[in-house]
Amino acid sequence: MPPGVLPKLNRNGVQSISKALLFQRLPFHRSQHTIRTMDHNRPTVGGVTAEVLKTVVSQALLGKFTAVFPKLFKCQWKTYEGQKKFFANFSTDCTDSDSNSNNMSRKFCVGGNWKMNGDQKSIAEIAKTLSSAALDPNTEVVIGCPAIYLMYARNLLPCELGLAGQNAYKVAKGAFTGEISPAMLKDIGADWVILGHSERRAVFGESDALIAEKAEHALAEGLKVIACIGETLEEREAGKTNEVVARQMCAYAQKIKDWKNVVVAYEPVWAIGTGKTATPDQAQEVHAFLRQWLSDNISKEVSASLRIQYGGSVTAANAKELAKKPDIDGFLVGGASLKPEFVDIINARQ
């Protein structure tokens, strides 16, 4: 550009760049002679080596070229699904780490449920914290984001983190004002959904049967499900904890036939947002009961492989002790997932 000439800006305040100029600036710009003489044994896309293209795509995933790359590569960069489809040809960073595993090991799984909290500024700060942190690679992380911020969060969060809707209805579409379908969640980049949370049960009156129908449909649509269960303080004091969680699990079991994309989250209602936490032994006792219930009522294979999270005022201070218990396979974290200490919770097994 000649000196003294101001760059052209589009309506978003971004410098307009012609496609010809863009190709000159990109690291994979080569002469036709170079392209023709490349090693034919190395995989290429349009004459560009996979290694070079991977570097460029990695930059795009960081959001530096998102305004340009959709047209350049004709790829759905505005959705996480589009990014994964394109990037999957060159890297396994965005694939489910359990997908190629046939063993019965249970990978630790930590979910952050933001509930009805957050705005663009705070989400950007959380994403920056998680992007710069050294997260345990042996822990799967899922972020439950408010629906209207799902796409915004997907574009900022690290690719390897899962993204969850906090609710979804039991059908694909229709006259259900205010509801969201699993298909809609997938369309904007979510790959998980949280269902059956105690607040959905208590505040919005969702029944065991409705929650199970939601889970069935979400799984059929290709989402993974965090299926919540848990007893109230009155039910615990009445000695009905096992009875309540067995009833809730039974409802799920009547609708779910394949459990490989399900994580169960046991959340004692009396410990959610109250600052009270079940002791590690109390939590382990219920988790062990659930493991036995699965063995008796579903199968020993499901019992051995299904991950059961604990939720209920989990903090950095108590996460390590809880994580030591043999039947606790992760956490579903509320308020603490909005704070920097969430990193310590994710790394509780390190």
Side-chain angles (χ1 to χ4, degrees):
M1 181 176 295
V5 178
L6 295 175
K8 293 182 179 180
L9 302 180
N10 62 23
R11 61 184 180 182
N12 295 318
V14 178
Q15 181 180 352
S16 299
I17 304 175
S18 68
K19 186 177 293 186
L21 181 59
L22 176 65
F23 269 94
Q24 292 175 13
R25 294 184 179 182
L26 288 176
F28 57 73
H29 178 68
R30 299 287 186 273
S31 68
Q32 291 299 316
H33 173 73
T34 302
I35 293 175
R36 285 195 299 267
T37 57
M38 280 183 174
D39 184 351
H40 293 290
N41 294 324
R42 299 176 69 185
T44 66
V45 177
V48 180
T49 66
E51 290 82 3
V52 172
L53 188 56
K54 177 180 176 181
T55 300
V56 178
V57 171
S58 297
Q59 296 178 43
L61 290 174
L62 293 174
K64 296 178 68 174
F65 301 121
T66 52
V68 177
F69 274 68
K71 291 183 179 179
L72 182 61
F73 289 119
K74 295 183 174 64
C75 186
Q76 300 174 355
W77 288 104
K78 290 186 178 180
T79 68
Y80 183 49
E81 284 300 312
Q83 294 176 18
K84 285 199 297 185
K85 288 175 183 177
F86 190 90
F87 196 61
N89 292 322
F90 311 108
S91 173
T92 58
D93 289 348
C94 294
T95 58
D96 183 355
S97 58
D98 291 335
S99 61
N100 295 321
S101 175
N102 294 318
N103 62 36
M104 304 300 285
S105 62
R106 301 193 299 268
K107 186 173 185 178
F108 207 67
C109 181
V110 175
N113 181 13
W114 293 351
K115 305 188 180 182
M116 197 174 72
N117 294 296
D119 52 26
Q120 291 188 59
K121 181 180 178 180
S122 63
I123 290 172
E125 291 172 352
I126 295 170
K128 182 178 180 180
T129 297
L130 294 174
S131 296
S132 61
L135 303 181
D136 186 349
N138 296 313
T139 295
E140 183 173 11
V141 182
V142 181
I143 301 298
C145 178
I148 63 169
Y149 294 123
L150 280 166
M151 184 178 288
Y152 178 72
R154 179 69 282 166
N155 287 331
L156 294 178
L157 290 168
C159 179
E160 62 270 18
L161 270 59
L163 189 69
Q166 297 178 10
N167 183 41
Y169 198 50
K170 64 178 182 179
V171 296
K173 59 183 178 180
F176 304 100
T177 302
E179 288 292 341
I180 299 172
S181 72
M184 292 174 179
L185 292 177
K186 286 187 65 180
D187 191 44
I188 59 172
D191 41 9
W192 289 80
V193 64
I194 300 170
L195 296 173
H197 193 279
S198 64
E199 291 152 6
R200 299 299 309 178
R201 296 174 186 267
V203 179
F204 299 99
E206 294 187 0
S207 66
D208 293 344
L210 173 60
I211 293 164
E213 288 176 329
K214 287 182 172 186
E216 178 185 32
H217 179 64
L219 291 167
E221 290 291 295
L223 286 180
K224 289 173 274 192
V225 172
I226 296 178
C228 301
I229 60 173
E231 84 282 10
T232 64
L233 179 60
E234 293 76 17
E235 290 165 338
R236 169 166 279 275
E237 290 178 341
K240 295 183 178 180
T241 295
N242 291 352
E243 177 185 336
V244 171
V245 297
R247 185 200 74 221
Q248 294 166 336
M249 287 298 298
C250 186
Y252 283 125
Q254 290 175 359
K255 295 295 183 180
I256 298 174
K257 304 307 176 186
D258 186 348
W259 293 80
K260 67 181 180 182
N261 288 324
V262 178
V263 170
V264 170
Y266 166 63
E267 297 191 299
V269 179
W270 49 273
I272 299 176
T274 63
K276 298 179 179 179
T277 308
T279 67
D281 287 340
Q282 287 176 319
Q284 167 59 25
E285 182 181 1
V286 179
H287 281 235
F289 169 79
L290 290 168
R291 193 81 61 198
Q292 187 60 49
W293 186 93
L294 289 164
S295 180
D296 294 341
N297 294 275
I298 308 297
S299 72
K300 291 182 178 179
E301 291 74 20
V302 170
S303 175
S305 63
L306 183 68
R307 293 176 289 180
I308 306 176
Q309 298 174 320
Y310 171 77
S313 296
V314 176
T315 66
N318 59 32
K320 283 191 175 293
E321 287 302 312
L322 288 163
K324 292 178 182 178
K325 295 301 180 180
D327 290 303
I328 295 180
D329 306 311
F331 308 117
L332 185 57
V333 185
S337 67
L338 299 163
K339 304 173 184 177
E341 70 175 287
F342 187 51
V343 172
D344 296 324
I345 296 173
I346 293 170
N347 295 336
R349 278 199 168 175
Q350 283 189 329

